[in-house]
Amino acid sequence: LLLGIVGLGAELLLLEHFEEWRQWLPLALLLSALLVWVSNAVRASAATVRAMQGVMVLCIVAGVVGVWFHYSGNTEFELEMYPGMARWELFKESMMGATPALAPGAMVQLGLIGLAWSFRQPALGQRAVNDTTSHS
C-alpha cells in the first residue's frame, strides 16, 4: 500500500498532473492516504483505520471519475479532429488517445488494496471468524 501511494504520487508529480484543479484531487488523496498510513504506523486505532477506509473509498471514486475525465477529454479531441467519426471508431480512438483513458484505474486499484489492508484490522476490535468461544 505504501509503495503504491508513494509510487503513484511520484508518477503524477513527474507527469505534472496539476495543470487544473481536477488534476490536484488524486494528489491530495494520495497525500491524505500517506498521512493516514503514517498515523496508522505510529499508533493504530479504530479512528485511523476508519480514516484509511474513507480515503480509500474516495480513491476508488476519484479513479472512476478520472477514467471518465480522461475518456471524455480524448473523445472531445477526436471529434474536433474528425467530426464524422463513427461510434466504435470514436470509442476505440478515445480509449487509445493521448491521455491514457484507463490510467486513473490505478487509483481504483490502490483504493481496493487499502480496503483489503484495513479489512479486519485488530485496531477495529473485531473478533476473528475462527474464534469459537463455547457458551456452556
Side-chain angles (χ1 to χ4, degrees), residues 90-108:
L90 177 61
F91 173 76
K92 186 179 103 179
E93 293 301 321
S94 296
M95 292 302 290
M96 297 170 34
T99 306
L102 297 178
M107 289 291 287
V108 174

Side-chain angles (χ1 to χ4, degrees), residues 11-134:
E11 180 179 18
L12 290 176
L13 288 172
L14 290 171
L15 290 172
E16 298 178 351
H17 197 271
F18 42 77
E19 292 178 7
E20 60 179 76
W21 70 269
R22 294 183 299 189
Q23 292 180 322
W24 280 95
L25 294 176
L27 290 165
L29 283 171
L30 291 169
L31 179 60
S32 299
L34 180 62
L35 294 174
V36 174
W37 186 92
V38 168
S39 67
N40 266 294
V42 171
R43 184 168 183 253
S45 69
T48 59
V49 173
R50 294 292 182 208
M52 178 62 82
Q53 290 172 334
V55 171
M56 292 298 107
V57 168
L58 290 175
C59 284
I60 293 169
V61 171
V64 171
V65 171
V67 168
W68 174 252
F69 284 154
H70 282 213
Y71 174 78
S72 62
N74 286 345
T75 300
E76 184 179 320
F77 176 78
E78 292 296 334
L79 286 174
E80 284 179 19
M81 296 292 293
Y82 310 102
M85 192 176 281
R87 291 182 185 186
W88 172 250
E89 186 179 10
L90 177 61
F91 173 76
K92 186 179 103 179
E93 293 301 321
S94 296
M95 292 302 290
M96 297 170 34
T99 306
L102 297 178
M107 289 291 287
V108 174
Q109 182 181 14
L110 191 62
L112 292 172
I113 291 169
L115 289 177
W117 169 87
S118 66
F119 185 67
R120 292 200 180 147
Q121 278 290 318
L124 293 176
Q126 298 170 333
R127 290 179 19 181
V129 172
N130 293 335
D131 184 11
T132 54
T133 55
S134 75

